Amino acid sequence: MYDVGVDLGGTKIAAGIVDDTGKIIYQKSIPTLRQRDFTAIIKDMADLVWQIIRESGVSLETVRGIGIGSPGVVNLEKGEIVYANNLNFRHVPICAELAQYINLPVYLNNDANCAALAESKVGAAQN
């Protein structure tokens, strides 16, 4: 099984597919173009996710879900970016918006929390 990770940043959106060991199978990034409305940015995120799934050869049926790491203040329960200064986002329901394009569970957390979790699982801080 695989998982998709999306790193939403002020200058780029990076997405990758990882396997059960945390190994990155495929990754790609695109510019965020942050001056646009959040709906256009989320559409680009969806297109990027579809692109990496297609180009990696991983079937959608083997993908468990999508995790988004976002800057700023997030509401995990609502799947909402409450405030992200570098994106000019306020109360953006990013999980629900992305799920409109891809029929997979979508999860959200702060990007620093995501980085710390990754380090503890497969990086320098494991064990």
Side-chain angles (χ1 to χ4, degrees):
M1 295 295 287
Y2 301 94
D3 297 290
V4 173
V6 178
D7 179 14
L8 174 60
T11 58
K12 72 176 181 175
I13 302 166
I17 298 178
V18 297
D19 66 14
D20 286 331
T21 68
K23 180 181 175 192
I24 299 171
I25 303 301
Y26 192 81
Q27 62 184 340
K28 196 166 198 168
S29 66
I30 58 173
T32 305
L33 306 174
R34 65 185 180 156
Q35 69 280 5
R36 301 176 299 153
D37 185 71
F38 75 84
T39 56
I41 293 171
I42 294 170
K43 172 72 167 81
D44 280 355
M45 290 173 60
D47 290 345
L48 181 60
V49 170
W50 278 117
Q51 187 176 23
I52 66 169
I53 289 172
R54 186 176 50 256
E55 291 176 3
S56 70
V58 168
S59 72
L60 184 62
E61 294 75 28
T62 62
V63 178
R64 283 183 288 242
I66 303 168
I68 302 169
S70 171
V73 178
V74 299
N75 182 319
L76 305 180
E77 292 78 32
K78 288 184 174 182
E80 172 186 77
I81 299 172
V82 177
Y83 177 71
N85 178 27
N86 61 338
L87 294 166
N88 200 27
F89 282 9
R90 285 182 170 73
H91 299 285
V92 172
I94 193 163
C95 291
E97 289 287 326
L98 188 59
Q100 291 180 6
Y101 296 102
I102 305 168
N103 189 24
L104 288 171
V106 181
Y107 306 94
L108 171 68
N109 209 318
N110 173 270
D111 55 358
N113 292 342
C114 293
L117 179 61
E119 286 296 333
S120 72
K121 295 289 185 184
V122 295
Q126 63 184 321
N127 300 323

